[in-house]
Amino acid sequence: MLKRKIFLVLEIIILSLVITSCEEDFNPKESLKDKNVLYCIIEFEQRFLPTGANVILTKLYDLPGYKPLQKIHELPPIPNAEVSITVAQLNFKCRQIITLQGSNTEPYLPQIYYRQSKSFGFSQNANLQINAVLPDGKILEAKTKIPSLKGFEYSYPFVHGITTLIDQWRWGKSWIISWDAKEGNLFFPKLILSYSIIKDSVEDFHFKEIPMRYIKNAQGNQPVYPSNTREPSISYDFAAIDSAMAQISAGDPNKSNYIIREVNFTLLEFDQNLSNYYSSVNGYMDNYSIRLDESVFTNISGGIGIFGTSLLNRQVFVVERAYVQSFGYKRK
């Protein structure tokens, strides 16, 4: 999902780079033609299971006229390139893959990307390098680094599982999760309740994201979910946790059919290159600053694009039995 979203943004960026100004004597398309683009994001999770990598090679291209707002069917691929990824002084070559994409109303067109087919293992803080030699002899290169695993600290330890049935006068009205953020990378935190519902002897599994807090406005109490942040902590109101627990069975009198399984805290971290790229695409660096007319970040030597990594940290918590039972639920 992450790759798909950022790849769609990549299409928009490529188009935006060829937009001309309203001055007739100025044509930025001339200086942008022949630009080659490399796109590769490798996603990791904290177990660092062996994984592969997909590499997209394309180039800037023109559209008729000066209004590049029409529908894009494809990015022009660069075939027959020699692509390799180096990690820990080991070089892994990528194989060219050709697929067909289309529909009943659109022609099936060949799409080309490069795949590191032999999965290889990684570790935190590993240095990676990518090298692409194009058929015309041009070379695209980039380096990046896998983020380090994060350790978490908590404002309340929850020895017997998550609960809001604590002395909130002493411990406060919210639960704070903290981590090390010396690199200044972007983080995407989520707190997710995992539960199941038994109906007609069939168990259905469900997930609900817990908001940080609720705010009152004209529409009533509205949940506030975390966005990306460079801060080293996040705070969840105990009232928001209570509300999420109650909402999963709203309107259903059969509370005993609900089984609370666990609460997962996930922290997706972008490496420095991907953090800067994401920030430049989304137009801001934090909640208080706005960036206008800023060029899109690239770390590709010999072209443009992004070579980056992400690391998903996960912490699993049980939910205290007495707290579960206070809602009429059962605990796994």
Side-chain angles (χ1 to χ4, degrees), residues 297-312:
F297 175 85
T298 176
N299 67 327
I300 306 299
S301 173
I304 61 173
I306 182 67
F307 177 49
T309 62
S310 68
L311 176 60
L312 182 66

Side-chain angles (χ1 to χ4, degrees), residues 95-297:
R95 182 167 57 96
Q96 179 173 287
I97 305 293
I98 302 177
T99 62
L100 291 177
Q101 295 185 3
S103 66
N104 294 332
T105 58
E106 297 178 1
Y108 281 85
L109 301 171
Q111 300 292 301
I112 297 175
Y113 66 97
Y114 297 84
R115 172 73 177 171
Q116 186 351 77
S117 55
K118 290 184 179 179
S119 295
F120 40 84
F122 294 87
S123 62
Q124 60 177 327
N125 295 317
N127 293 306
L128 307 180
Q129 180 171 342
I130 194 167
N131 181 279
V133 181
L134 308 187
D136 60 5
K138 293 181 179 178
I139 298 175
L140 304 182
E141 294 178 313
K143 296 180 179 180
T144 195
K145 185 178 181 179
I146 301 174
S148 61
L149 291 169
K150 293 293 173 280
F152 300 110
E153 295 183 356
Y154 312 100
S155 61
Y156 189 85
F158 291 129
V159 176
H160 302 292
I162 289 181
T163 176
T164 66
L165 305 177
I166 63 174
D167 185 356
Q168 295 186 17
W169 287 105
R170 176 183 178 186
W171 296 101
K173 302 292 184 181
S174 59
W175 185 43
I176 302 172
I177 305 174
S178 305
W179 57 87
D180 180 26
K182 292 180 180 178
E183 300 89 350
N185 294 342
L186 275 177
F187 298 97
F188 298 78
K190 282 188 178 182
L191 191 64
I192 301 173
L193 172 65
S194 171
Y195 66 99
S196 58
I197 306 174
I198 303 292
K199 188 174 182 180
D200 298 329
S201 301
V202 177
E203 186 174 11
D204 291 326
F205 295 90
H206 301 267
F207 302 92
K208 181 176 180 60
E209 182 176 0
I210 300 173
M212 298 185 296
R213 60 186 177 275
Y214 284 85
I215 58 173
K216 287 186 177 181
N217 57 23
Q219 287 74 41
N221 288 328
Q222 297 296 313
V224 178
Y225 295 97
S227 181
N228 62 81
T229 180
R230 294 182 190 264
E231 296 299 317
S233 65
I234 187 170
S235 176
Y236 288 92
D237 287 356
F238 288 128
I241 298 175
D242 286 339
S243 180
M245 286 284 289
Q247 286 176 21
I248 63 173
S249 65
D252 188 349
N254 301 312
K255 308 297 183 182
S256 60
N257 289 340
Y258 291 76
I259 301 174
I260 302 301
R261 306 184 67 83
E262 61 193 24
V263 169
N264 285 270
F265 177 69
T266 62
L267 186 71
L268 177 65
E269 180 180 4
F270 286 179
D271 73 357
Q272 188 175 71
N273 291 317
L274 190 53
S275 294
N276 292 336
Y277 173 77
Y278 185 92
S279 296
S280 67
V281 168
N282 286 271
Y284 63 89
M285 294 295 290
D286 54 46
N287 292 331
Y288 304 100
S289 61
I290 299 176
R291 299 166 57 174
L292 300 175
D293 301 323
E294 183 106 11
S295 60
V296 174
F297 175 85

Side-chain angles (χ1 to χ4, degrees), residues 47-60:
R47 292 177 296 171
F48 288 104
L49 297 175
T51 185
N54 292 333
V55 183
I56 295 172
L57 288 175
T58 184
K59 55 189 174 182
L60 294 183

